[in-house]
Amino acid sequence: MPQEVRHEPSIAVLLPCYNEELTIAEVVRRFRETLPSAAIYVYDNNSRDLTALRARAAGATVVREPRQGKGNVVRRMFADIEADIYLMADGDGTYAPEDAPQLINTLLTERSDMAVGTRRGVTDDAGRTGHAFGNRIFNSLYKRLFGSDFTDIFSGYRAFTRRFVKSFPAVSGGFEIETEMSVHASQLKLPVSEIGLDYGRRPQGSSSKLSTFRDGAKILWMFAMLMKETQPLRFFGAFSVFFLASSLFLMTPVLIEFAETGLVPRMPTWVLSVGLLLLSMLAAVTGLILDSVSRGRAEQKRIFYLSMPSGRVERERASALATWKKAEPRKTSRAA
């Protein structure tokens, strides 16, 4: 009989980069020292400096992604790379590679599908006050809309299982990709973990690629789109209530006047109020129908997620099969 074969999980470190020549070589070097057995991938997103060259010189596998935006890079990385554990960080040096074993250990010991390194000291660096205020607002909004699974939905330091990565649709194009990851986990009720980690400063000469207002507007729009897709009854129900309240506000004086005089002198107001009432009913029915569709889609996503074996299971199965094939000739020769 073949002996049981056990393997250490394979780890892939994923570093999306855009103009990070000042930091990427040091980040790659520290990840190689911290996780010697891990494969390190740097996906260069149209950098105009020496990011790709310095990453390759430091020992990373460099791939170019021409579609601009972090979401496009993450989608490409998740599709290309096969591993048991995926560790995603930024190439700007704000996340410490030395914290990677702690993050991976949390993923494994708590049997989670995603472990998030929440950022301590995110407001310590100069110029991040506005970003920190936006983080608090969006995190509070996320809790109200999608649940309290996460306290830092914008953290880019995350560890994933293969099952999460290969079942994540990744439709976002920019920095809102972290929000989409969080909503995906919340919708399917996947096991997730958080661990507080220090958040470092950028070196002098390196600047953040985030635009406070432009990217904030994109994230807000993503919140609305994800709510429409995952909670259509609440989304369209809010419109239904708004139209109903507006209709009653306009309709009530007309009805009172009709009850007193038997006349409807303000016909345009009456027509508008009836139109708003019809819109309210239409929004309510739309929400009910799409809620059933959304539940069906969530069930399909969950079934697809459960149908995927973990990377470790596949590796052990393949190794056990190889050991069995090696053992078969010996049995045949003994029987002869």
Side-chain angles (χ1 to χ4, degrees):
M1 293 294 293
Q3 297 180 349
E4 183 180 3
V5 181
R6 294 186 178 273
H7 289 274
E8 290 297 320
S10 59
I11 302 173
V13 178
L14 313 179
L15 301 173
C17 287
Y18 174 64
N19 292 341
E20 301 291 359
E21 67 173 354
L22 297 179
T23 56
I24 188 59
E26 179 68 11
V27 170
V28 171
R29 182 189 65 78
R30 289 165 63 187
F31 268 116
R32 292 185 65 188
E33 291 178 355
T34 305
L35 301 172
S37 61
I40 301 176
Y41 299 88
V42 172
Y43 274 66
D44 179 45
N45 195 202
N46 300 318
S47 296
R48 295 187 297 271
D49 57 11
L50 301 179
T51 297
L53 181 62
R54 295 191 176 181
R56 188 177 289 109
T61 300
V62 179
V63 181
R64 179 176 175 270
E65 171 51 51
R67 291 187 180 90
Q68 195 66 41
K70 186 175 182 180
N72 294 319
V73 176
V74 171
R75 180 166 51 250
R76 174 79 178 275
M77 290 191 299
F78 283 3
D80 288 354
I81 298 170
E82 295 291 337
D84 296 327
I85 295 174
Y86 298 77
L87 183 74
M88 187 177 75
D90 291 340
D92 56 11
T94 52
Y95 299 112
E98 291 75 19
D99 291 331
Q102 191 177 0
L103 194 60
I104 294 173
N105 184 61
T106 301
L107 183 80
L108 296 176
T109 56
E110 298 192 11
R111 295 181 177 271
S112 302
D113 280 305
M114 178 169 62
V116 182
T118 59
R119 298 168 293 176
R120 292 194 299 252
V122 68
T123 61
D124 292 345
D125 199 0
R128 288 194 178 135
T129 305
H131 292 177
F133 177 74
N135 285 336
R136 288 192 293 269
I137 295 297
F138 282 122
N139 280 309
S140 300
L141 183 60
Y142 182 92
K143 290 180 181 179
R144 289 182 177 273
L145 297 179
F146 303 106
S148 57
D149 292 330
F150 301 96
T151 59
D152 187 4
I153 60 172
F154 297 132
S155 173
Y157 207 6
R158 303 184 181 220
F160 313 91
T161 60
R162 183 179 183 275
R163 181 176 280 180
F164 181 97
V165 165
K166 297 305 180 181
S167 65
F168 176 58
V171 298
S172 304
F175 283 103
E176 61 272 21
I177 187 69
E178 286 93 356
T179 304
E180 187 186 356
M181 290 177 183
S182 303
V183 173
H184 177 70
S186 296
Q187 183 190 24
L188 299 188
K189 297 179 174 58
L190 305 183
V192 295
S193 303
E194 288 188 326
I195 180 172
L197 300 175
D198 291 331
Y199 188 58
R201 296 171 176 241
R202 282 177 171 270
Q204 187 175 5
S206 176
S207 59
S208 174
K209 312 304 184 298
L210 276 170
S211 171
T212 302
F213 297 104
R214 185 182 68 249
D215 290 312
K218 288 182 179 179
I219 293 168
L220 193 60
W221 178 255
M222 175 58 65
F223 269 42
M225 292 300 99
L226 289 173
M227 188 176 179
K228 178 179 71 70
E229 295 295 328
T230 61
Q231 302 180 47
L233 187 58
R234 288 182 64 187
F235 182 83
F236 288 99
F239 285 100
S240 177
V241 170
F242 172 77
F243 289 139
L244 179 60
S246 301
S247 175
L248 293 176
F249 176 76
L250 296 173
M251 184 183 295
T252 301
V254 178
L255 290 176
I256 292 175
E257 192 170 6
F258 175 77
E260 293 176 349
T261 65
L263 300 175
V264 185
R266 294 187 289 176
M267 185 59 69
T269 302
W270 173 253
V271 173
L272 178 59
S273 63
V274 172
L276 290 173
L277 182 61
L278 292 175
L279 284 176
S280 174
M281 296 172 61
L282 179 62
V285 172
T286 301
L288 288 171
I289 295 173
L290 292 182
D291 185 64
S292 298
V293 175
S294 177
R295 288 176 182 272
R297 291 180 59 193
E299 290 173 359
Q300 289 179 344
K301 288 180 182 180
R302 180 76 185 181
I303 292 171
F304 179 73
Y305 158 81
L306 292 174
S307 68
M308 299 188 62
S310 64
R312 180 184 296 181
V313 171
E314 290 181 346
R315 288 167 62 87
E316 290 185 1
R317 186 180 300 165
S319 298
L321 181 61
T323 305
W324 177 267
K325 289 182 178 179
K326 289 180 181 179
E328 264 191 328
R330 297 178 185 177
K331 290 184 179 180
T332 304
S333 60
R334 287 180 184 176

